[in-house]
Amino acid sequence: MGKYEGDPVWDDVVPIPQDDGEGALAAIAYTDEYAEAMGYLRAVMAAKEYSPRVLDLTEHIISMNAAHYTVWLYRASTLLALNSSIPVELEWVNNVALDNQKNYQIWHHRQILIDHLYDSMSSDPAALKSLAESEVAFMTEMFNEDSKNYHVWSYRQWVVRKLDLFDKGEIECIETLLRQDVRNNSAWSHRFFVVFSNPKYCTPGSKATEYDPKIPGEILDREIEFAKAATFEAPQNQSPWNYLRGVLKKGGRKLSSLECFAGEFVKIPEVGEEDIKSSHALDFLADVWAQKGENEKADKALTLLGDKYDRIRKNYWDWRRTSLK
Amino acid sequence: MTFLRGKKQRVRFVRRAVAGHDRPNNQQIEQPELCSQGRSDTLDEIFESLFPFVLPGKTASMIPDLFTTLPPIRDLLHTGSSQVQDETIQECLPFLSGLKLDIECNEHGIPHLDRKKHITFLHHSLRNLPAPFVAADASRPWFFYWALSGLVAMGEDVSQYRERLISTLAPIQNSGGGFGGGNGQMSHLAPTYAVILSLIIVGGAEALDIIDRKAMWKWLGALKQPDGGFQMCVGGEEDIRGAYIAAVIITLLNLPLQLSKESLFWSREATLLTNLPEWISRCQTYEGGVSSRPDAEAHGAYAFCALACLSILDDPHIIIPEYLDVPCLISWLSARQYAPEGGFSGRTNKLVDGCYSHWVGGCWPLIEACLDGPSISSGDHLSAPLTSVGHLYSREGLIRYILCCCQEQSKRGGLRDKPSHNSDSYHTCYVLAGLSSAQHKWHFNTSATKTESSGMLTAAYQWTSDPILEYSQIFDEEDRVNTWHPIFAIPEGASERARSHFESKGGF
């Protein structure tokens, strides 16, 4: 006898079996436990039942299959309908998330929970602060498992906007991660978001790829120095090079303002062999020289990239050469 | 032919390669230099010492050293990212160098596409699945799409599955519109996309007509968000997959563009497409790539969603530059290809993975059409654009990665992420799609006398392809796979047939 079939709590529910159609393709051989639980879920959903036993049922199903969006969404609706304790739910979700690193649904569920909790505490700064701290602490735990987890980072961007975490603490968190691995591009990407979407000084709605005249000069300087320092640690790391280009574009500054810096990694003598410590520096200089009209130098840099330092992208570098004229 | 025989040499290769890989750690302390010119000598030495013995004087030119040596510039600083990157190179090199004893290669050092095994693998993926597949209970329709599209690409007739597909899908459609991941599950755009494409692949009116288009249209109205994007399901997350899939559904099913009255944002002016390209534009990041939603990190799969969605809304050379910074995007996209692996990664400083052969590889035809502009047809004459940018990535690199590294060698068959991973139908589908895209040239065509009477959202139906034929083709002709539509990723021609079927209905 199944878990629910023999349970008096569920006496009143007639489970709805799965209709798989005739000769179903890729039919999954469910365990009896899963098939039974899903039968009860279909029944409670059909009856639009939102009750404590639905929370137990959904928890049980999630323990067998955490990638089940319907179950998550129905659980969220049930929690909100019952006015259940969100902190208790968050605690439980933390454990599920740690066990299911690649899961999409958990993060959306969390977003629903925080949204709801936020409404109840939006006038209580102390409560909000403690919520922010516990969220950050949990994400740190997730990053210990995988510091590039896309779902966690997307959720983090959402939390930063929701709880207004555009502050020094957030930048320090990123720097901790970058100290562990300066090639963690997710951390770089998050830094760009935190710095250049800060409502205190950014133009609302300014896109990541466009100039924002409102960014203070000292912030641009700080970011440029930060990325430059990282570049010296590992010149062939593309992340800070992309970051520098992004910062210059945001600040409306010319690439040539960093010509000297990029030149640190590129020595092309009149005679003899060149010394290239970073293909990204060479790429950067090719753009600098093209913008300054020094096409011959730019062409030489792009040729070196295509023929020697980044040959897999030769077609791309050649295309860049054709656009020099 | 097999390049190498005898176990001794293979063992020697592996040991030396590993020793080379360990070296940077030690050097980090000893050398104050910023970086080293890579130690590309290690493998060269092995090649010189081994190949004359096997194939005198011939081999070196057959596999370009780009694919058998370490990158020319490598930093000494050791981090988690460089560690896994080094491991990936070491894992791929024996396959790229033709040093795997059990794999037969052509004179370019490339194995055949093991069509027979991959076909069997995909047929098997449609049989009953064992209990551990319960994790796929909410994404089962994807299995149909991955298998059917992969099978057709390899020349299989899938009409045998038509009836069973129809009876499998009928119970997962919801009366409120759309399909769920299974019976009794909420409608969700991801399985709905997989269902619609699967039905179009098997084709025929009886398959296409199971879709309740009117309910679908109403449901899409409920998913539309005021900022222009789409939720994946009612109350679910909003991301760029939703934008792409919604556009795919609207155009393939020929749905009306106006919002249904059920939509929370209904107004006389608003349509399903209102602010959609603007929303996509907000997903482009400072790196040039595209993220799943505004503020997140650039990622290959989302770049494809963005480009394909825009290319449904209008001609690529018109709409892509209007909403995306194209030079920045191309720079980022190009940087996704690594050597010696040859394959694509999904993000900066992440590893190559066979599935990006489609997600990143599939961006190139759209980008090339964007740069080239259309071929103009007048009557039965088709004139190509005056100048073509050609291919902006290394087709050879991608083809090498796919055929050398992504084929499961055991009798299981199927294609995979990288040699250390098992094959699955997801990778089999998207690796094959990438292979096809590297073997064909796509043209976007406009008619000199464009008529407006041809209906809405017609841009996706103006693509034609040619096989790329070249003197020094590195793969054997029998390994060319069939073409996949550059936007819908289903066999060429199927989307046109579906669209005209639904157009012929007039209304719902």
Side-chain angles (χ1 to χ4, degrees), chain A residues 19 22-23 26-27 29-30 34 69 108 148 150 154 161 181 183 185-186 207 236-237 242 249 313 315, chain B residues 75 79 81 126 129 137 140 164 167 181 183 186 235 281 287 293 295 297 325 334 347 349 391 393:
Chain A
D19 175 3
E22 183 80 10
Y30 305 115
Y34 183 81
Y69 62 88
H108 182 66
K148 299 179 181 181
Y150 201 90
S154 309
R161 278 204 193 270
D181 185 351
R183 297 181 178 94
N185 195 64
S186 305
K207 287 187 232 171
Q236 189 56 15
N237 172 14
N242 286 351
K249 202 185 260 183
R313 298 169 72 193
N315 292 359
Chain B
D75 292 327
T79 66
S81 295
L126 291 174
L129 303 171
D137 194 28
R140 210 173 113 235
R164 284 175 66 200
S167 62
N183 178 231
M186 288 174 64
S281 176
E287 291 194 276
R293 55 188 190 192
D295 304 336
E297 184 185 6
D325 177 337
S334 156
R347 304 184 243 165
N349 283 333
H391 300 280
Y393 71 105

Side-chain angles (χ1 to χ4, degrees), chain B residues 196-482:
Chain B
I196 291 174
L197 296 188
S198 300
L199 288 167
I200 291 176
I201 292 169
V202 299
E206 67 274 37
L208 300 177
D209 287 341
I210 72 162
I211 303 166
D212 183 342
R213 289 162 65 236
K214 187 167 187 183
M216 182 76 73
W217 168 72
K218 288 183 180 174
W219 176 57
L220 286 177
L223 298 174
K224 179 75 178 177
Q225 297 299 297
D227 61 9
F230 285 84
Q231 284 182 338
M232 292 299 286
C233 58
V234 174
E237 68 276 20
E238 177 188 18
D239 66 39
I240 203 162
R241 296 173 304 157
Y244 163 60
I245 294 172
V248 166
I249 295 173
I250 294 165
T251 183
L252 282 176
L253 303 189
N254 195 34
L255 299 180
L257 299 182
Q258 62 263 40
L259 283 170
S260 54
K261 284 269 168 61
E262 284 78 2
S263 174
L264 289 172
F265 312 108
W266 184 88
S267 75
R268 210 168 291 282
E269 299 78 33
T271 74
L272 285 167
L273 307 182
T274 302
N275 287 333
L276 184 56
E278 287 82 1
W279 187 85
I280 286 172
S281 176
R282 288 175 54 213
C283 294
Q284 187 172 29
T285 84
Y286 70 96
E287 291 194 276
V290 181
S291 53
S292 65
R293 55 188 190 192
D295 304 336
E297 184 185 6
H299 186 294
Y302 304 129
F304 178 80
C305 290
L307 289 172
C309 179
L310 290 175
S311 303
I312 289 169
L313 303 182
D314 205 344
D315 298 1
H317 62 288
I318 295 170
I319 195 168
I320 295 174
E322 196 178 337
Y323 291 100
L324 297 174
D325 177 337
V326 174
C328 196
L329 172 62
I330 293 178
S331 165
W332 176 85
L333 210 51
S334 156
R336 303 281 50 76
Q337 192 164 25
Y338 296 173
E341 303 97 303
F344 294 119
S345 70
R347 304 184 243 165
T348 304
N349 283 333
K350 291 276 282 178
L351 307 174
V352 291
D353 175 339
C355 73
Y356 296 119
S357 306
H358 167 67
W359 297 120
V360 174
C363 288
W364 289 115
L366 307 178
I367 284 290
E368 286 159 13
C370 161
L371 295 177
D372 285 347
S375 307
I376 312 283
S377 74
S378 46
D380 38 295
H381 176 71
L382 192 69
S383 67
L386 286 177
T387 53
S388 169
V389 295
H391 300 280
L392 294 183
Y393 71 105
S394 166
R395 292 173 40 248
E396 171 166 6
L398 182 63
I399 292 171
R400 281 186 184 277
Y401 184 69
I402 290 173
L403 292 175
C404 296
C405 297
C406 292
Q407 298 195 73
E408 170 71 46
Q409 305 302 331
S410 72
K411 66 172 195 260
R412 167 192 169 92
L415 294 115
R416 62 193 176 193
D417 167 343
K418 53 175 73 64
S420 58
H421 287 54
N422 285 329
S423 59
D424 55 45
S425 48
Y426 165 80
H427 283 90
T428 303
C429 168
Y430 290 121
V431 171
L432 288 170
L435 179 61
S436 172
S437 156
Q439 292 171 329
H440 298 88
K441 171 72 184 170
W442 284 93
H443 309 278
F444 182 78
N445 311 298
T446 44
S447 163
T449 50
K450 204 174 175 181
T451 52
E452 289 304 316
S453 63
S454 47
M456 302 299 286
L457 298 185
T458 54
Y461 310 95
Q462 292 163 229
W463 295 86
T464 52
S465 70
D466 287 319
I468 298 171
L469 302 166
E470 53 203 343
Y471 178 67
S472 56
Q473 181 168 303
I474 56 166
F475 61 92
D476 297 298
E477 194 50 38
E478 64 185 270
D479 297 335
R480 195 185 293 276
V481 293
N482 293 335

